[in-house]
Amino acid sequence: MKKDVKPKKKVHMIAIKSSDPDEKPMIIRLRNTSFYTILVTVCVMIGVVLGIFIFETRQVVVITAKMAAQRQEMNEEYEALNAQYVELQSQYSDQVLEIEELQSQVSALTQTLQDKLATEEEAEQAAIPSGFPVTGSSTAAEMPEDESELDQAVYYEGSEGAVVVATGAGTVELVRQNAYGYYEVHIDHGNGYDSIYTNMGSPLIQQGDTVVRGTPLFLIQEDNTLIKYQITKDDALQDKLATEEEAEQAAIPSGFPVTGSSTAAEMPEDESELDQAVYYEGSEGAVVVATGAGTVELVRQNAYGYYEVHIDHGNGYDSIYTNMGSPLIQQGDTVVRGTPLFLIQEDNTLIKYQITKDDALINVYTIMTVDG
């Protein structure tokens, strides 16, 4: 009788071979149950790892999508804010331009108002017959025997070539020849003042003409040297002879040396600050004028070709006017504030002005007045 032979159990062997050729491989024998257990365990672990990987991948995808959506939303908000910023910036720029334009308009209106006020004030001052009625050489003359002190007139003996001029701005109201053969020129200054000029010469103006201070009325020649001058205020004759205080004030060179358009100019490079001079650029047609009453002490041409006019004001003050033009007065002439000294033309626009006090140069602005 045959014996029952038990079948041999299958054994799985795993050979682990070393990189060393002399070393024998390690043989691991595993039974079926152990092998399958390990295989299942490995598969389960692989499944778990794959599950985790898939889960994490899906989470990353979800988070990435959310982040992309948030980024898109933030970009849209940024673009909207940027558009608002650009619009606000444009509005701000428009407002700045509007403010600058308004400021410019305000400045222009302010300047216009100041110019108008200055012009009106200058016009009021110019209409007062406070100038001297003669340019050129003249002396005070005695009242003729056939005249009356009630006329409140003053008389001058003019040198040949001198000119009788208007003493203030106004309108020629009357030109007539009186009973003695003298011509009378009556100027209405529009402020209650009338000035009357009487001379034997032929009048240079006509009734209705508009005049300014310095407008020629008579040319003094050999046969008409006597000049009679009167002023009325509200139709009453006024004494032309100023009070002592007024005369003192009139002799201070506090006026402005230019009538007409002019601007301050820089000191030329070849001049010195020690001169205490101020410089003006006059427009063509402007006139350099005396800034106070006095006597022309000196008229000369300096080494640079410029003419200098020195006026002695009789009170320690001297004023000096330098210009390239030809002087309108001569040494020894009597002048008042506003007497023309130079006529500004295209080639003599630069004006230099100085003042001395007791022969020492001083800053002209210490005595120059606004209404001068």
Side-chain angles (χ1 to χ4, degrees):
M1 191 174 173
K2 293 182 180 181
K3 293 181 180 181
D4 293 332
V5 180
K6 292 183 179 180
K8 291 183 179 181
K9 294 182 179 180
K10 290 184 180 181
V11 177
H12 295 275
M13 292 187 297
I14 299 173
I16 301 174
K17 190 176 179 180
S18 174
S19 60
D20 188 356
D22 296 332
E23 188 176 349
K24 292 181 179 181
M26 181 183 294
I27 304 298
I28 299 175
R29 290 180 175 84
L30 296 173
R31 292 183 180 181
N32 283 342
T33 55
S34 298
F35 175 76
Y36 289 118
T37 301
I38 291 171
L39 182 60
V40 170
T41 301
V42 169
C43 289
V44 169
M45 291 178 66
I46 290 172
V48 170
V49 170
L50 286 174
I52 292 172
F53 175 76
I54 292 171
F55 176 77
E56 291 295 331
T57 301
R58 292 181 65 182
Q59 288 295 105
V60 168
V61 171
V62 172
I63 292 172
T64 302
K66 288 184 177 179
M67 291 179 64
Q70 290 177 352
R71 188 179 295 109
Q72 179 66 25
E73 185 178 352
M74 290 176 64
N75 286 339
E76 291 175 356
E77 290 180 357
Y78 169 77
E79 290 177 359
L81 290 173
N82 189 57
Q84 290 180 4
Y85 170 77
V86 171
E87 184 179 356
L88 291 173
Q89 187 71 20
S90 176
Q91 291 177 359
Y92 171 76
S93 300
D94 292 342
Q95 289 178 352
V96 168
L97 291 175
E98 187 177 353
I99 290 171
E100 289 177 351
E101 185 178 354
L102 289 173
Q103 288 176 338
S104 176
Q105 291 176 359
V106 170
S107 298
L109 289 173
T110 301
Q111 186 62 45
T112 301
L113 179 59
Q114 290 175 345
D115 292 344
K116 183 177 180 181
L117 291 174
T119 302
E120 288 177 354
E121 184 177 354
E122 289 173 357
E124 289 177 1
Q125 290 295 323
I128 297 174
S130 58
F132 193 73
V134 187
T135 63
S137 181
S138 64
T139 57
E142 293 184 0
M143 181 183 70
E145 293 181 358
D146 56 350
E147 296 285 338
S148 169
E149 290 185 358
L150 297 177
D151 287 348
Q152 295 276 23
V154 290
Y155 299 86
Y156 300 97
E157 190 71 27
S159 299
E160 190 171 355
V163 180
V164 180
V165 296
T167 56
T171 303
V172 178
E173 186 177 29
L174 179 65
V175 177
R176 71 178 180 185
Q177 193 170 20
N178 64 23
Y180 300 98
Y182 285 83
Y183 281 97
E184 296 177 2
V185 173
H186 294 240
I187 296 177
D188 178 7
H189 298 280
N191 50 12
Y193 285 106
D194 279 36
S195 54
I196 306 169
Y197 313 78
T198 305
N199 184 257
M200 186 63 78
S202 298
L204 302 176
I205 42 73
Q206 297 177 353
Q207 187 171 325
D209 286 353
T210 299
V211 299
V212 295
R213 185 174 296 161
T215 297
L217 307 178
F218 297 98
L219 175 63
I220 300 302
Q221 295 177 318
E222 186 178 1
D223 56 351
N224 65 320
T225 57
L226 185 64
I227 305 148
K228 178 181 178 180
Y229 179 56
Q230 298 164 280
I231 292 178
T232 68
K233 173 64 174 174
D234 300 326
D235 298 325
L237 286 167
Q238 301 289 307
D239 188 352
K240 169 57 186 169
L241 295 176
T243 64
E244 184 176 348
E245 183 178 355
E246 289 172 341
E248 288 177 358
Q249 289 296 321
I252 297 174
S254 59
F256 192 72
V258 188
T259 63
S261 178
S262 65
T263 57
E266 293 185 0
M267 179 182 73
E269 293 181 357
D270 56 351
E271 296 285 340
S272 170
E273 292 183 357
L274 298 177
D275 286 349
Q276 293 275 23
V278 291
Y279 300 85
Y280 301 97
E281 191 73 23
S283 300
E284 191 171 354
V287 180
V288 180
V289 297
T291 56
T295 303
V296 179
E297 185 178 31
L298 179 66
V299 177
R300 70 178 181 186
Q301 193 170 21
N302 64 23
Y304 301 100
Y306 286 80
Y307 281 97
E308 297 177 3
V309 173
H310 295 239
I311 297 177
D312 179 6
H313 297 280
N315 50 11
Y317 287 109
D318 278 39
S319 55
I320 306 169
Y321 313 77
T322 305
N323 184 256
M324 187 63 80
S326 299
L328 302 176
I329 40 71
Q330 298 176 353
Q331 188 169 326
D333 286 354
T334 299
V335 298
V336 295
R337 184 175 298 160
T339 297
L341 306 179
F342 297 97
L343 175 63
I344 300 302
Q345 295 177 315
E346 186 177 359
D347 56 352
N348 66 316
T349 56
L350 184 64
I351 305 147
K352 178 180 179 182
Y353 178 55
Q354 298 164 280
I355 293 178
T356 66
K357 173 64 173 174
D358 300 326
D359 298 324
L361 288 163
I362 65 170
N363 185 338
V364 301
Y365 293 117
T366 59
I367 62 171
M368 185 183 289
T369 58
V370 175
D371 62 351

Short mmCIF file of all heavy atoms in Angstrom, two decimals, residues 16 20 72 125 136 234 263 321 345:
data_model
loop_
_atom_site.label_atom_id
_atom_site.label_comp_id
_atom_site.label_asym_id
_atom_site.label_seq_id
_atom_site.Cartn_x
_atom_site.Cartn_y
_atom_site.Cartn_z
N ILE A 16 18.97 38.59 -3.47
CA ILE A 16 19.51 39.96 -3.40
C ILE A 16 20.99 39.84 -3.66
O ILE A 16 21.74 39.25 -2.86
CB ILE A 16 19.25 40.61 -2.03
CG1 ILE A 16 17.74 40.66 -1.76
CG2 ILE A 16 19.86 41.99 -1.99
CD1 ILE A 16 17.38 41.16 -0.38
N ASP A 20 29.30 43.36 -5.31
CA ASP A 20 30.61 42.70 -5.22
C ASP A 20 30.50 41.33 -5.85
O ASP A 20 29.71 40.49 -5.40
CB ASP A 20 31.02 42.59 -3.75
CG ASP A 20 32.47 42.09 -3.59
OD1 ASP A 20 33.09 41.78 -4.63
OD2 ASP A 20 32.94 42.06 -2.44
N GLN A 72 -7.96 87.49 -11.03
CA GLN A 72 -8.74 88.15 -12.07
C GLN A 72 -9.60 89.26 -11.48
O GLN A 72 -9.67 90.37 -12.02
CB GLN A 72 -9.61 87.11 -12.80
CG GLN A 72 -10.49 87.69 -13.90
CD GLN A 72 -9.69 88.23 -15.06
OE1 GLN A 72 -8.55 87.79 -15.29
NE2 GLN A 72 -10.25 89.19 -15.78
N GLN A 125 -2.42 164.66 -11.59
CA GLN A 125 -1.23 165.46 -11.29
C GLN A 125 -0.79 166.26 -12.51
O GLN A 125 -0.39 167.43 -12.39
CB GLN A 125 -0.09 164.54 -10.84
CG GLN A 125 -0.29 163.90 -9.47
CD GLN A 125 -0.31 164.95 -8.36
OE1 GLN A 125 0.43 165.93 -8.39
NE2 GLN A 125 -1.18 164.74 -7.39
N GLY A 136 14.32 176.85 -21.43
CA GLY A 136 15.41 177.66 -21.93
C GLY A 136 15.75 178.74 -20.92
O GLY A 136 15.22 178.79 -19.80
N ASP A 234 -11.18 178.29 -10.24
CA ASP A 234 -12.62 178.54 -10.20
C ASP A 234 -12.92 179.99 -10.58
O ASP A 234 -13.67 180.70 -9.90
CB ASP A 234 -13.19 178.21 -8.81
CG ASP A 234 -12.97 176.76 -8.45
OD1 ASP A 234 -13.01 175.91 -9.36
OD2 ASP A 234 -12.74 176.47 -7.26
N THR A 263 11.06 151.42 -18.46
CA THR A 263 11.22 150.30 -17.54
C THR A 263 12.60 150.38 -16.91
O THR A 263 13.53 150.97 -17.47
CB THR A 263 11.08 148.95 -18.27
OG1 THR A 263 12.03 148.88 -19.34
CG2 THR A 263 9.68 148.76 -18.83
N TYR A 321 21.69 163.72 -15.04
CA TYR A 321 20.96 162.96 -16.06
C TYR A 321 21.94 162.67 -17.20
O TYR A 321 22.54 163.61 -17.76
CB TYR A 321 19.77 163.74 -16.58
CG TYR A 321 18.93 164.37 -15.49
CD1 TYR A 321 19.34 165.53 -14.83
CD2 TYR A 321 17.72 163.81 -15.09
CE1 TYR A 321 18.59 166.11 -13.83
CE2 TYR A 321 16.95 164.38 -14.10
CZ TYR A 321 17.40 165.53 -13.46
OH TYR A 321 16.65 166.09 -12.45
N GLN A 345 14.70 158.77 -28.38
CA GLN A 345 14.49 158.27 -29.73
C GLN A 345 15.09 156.87 -29.84
O GLN A 345 15.57 156.30 -28.85
CB GLN A 345 15.10 159.24 -30.75
CG GLN A 345 14.39 160.61 -30.73
CD GLN A 345 15.02 161.60 -31.68
OE1 GLN A 345 16.23 161.74 -31.73
NE2 GLN A 345 14.18 162.31 -32.42
#
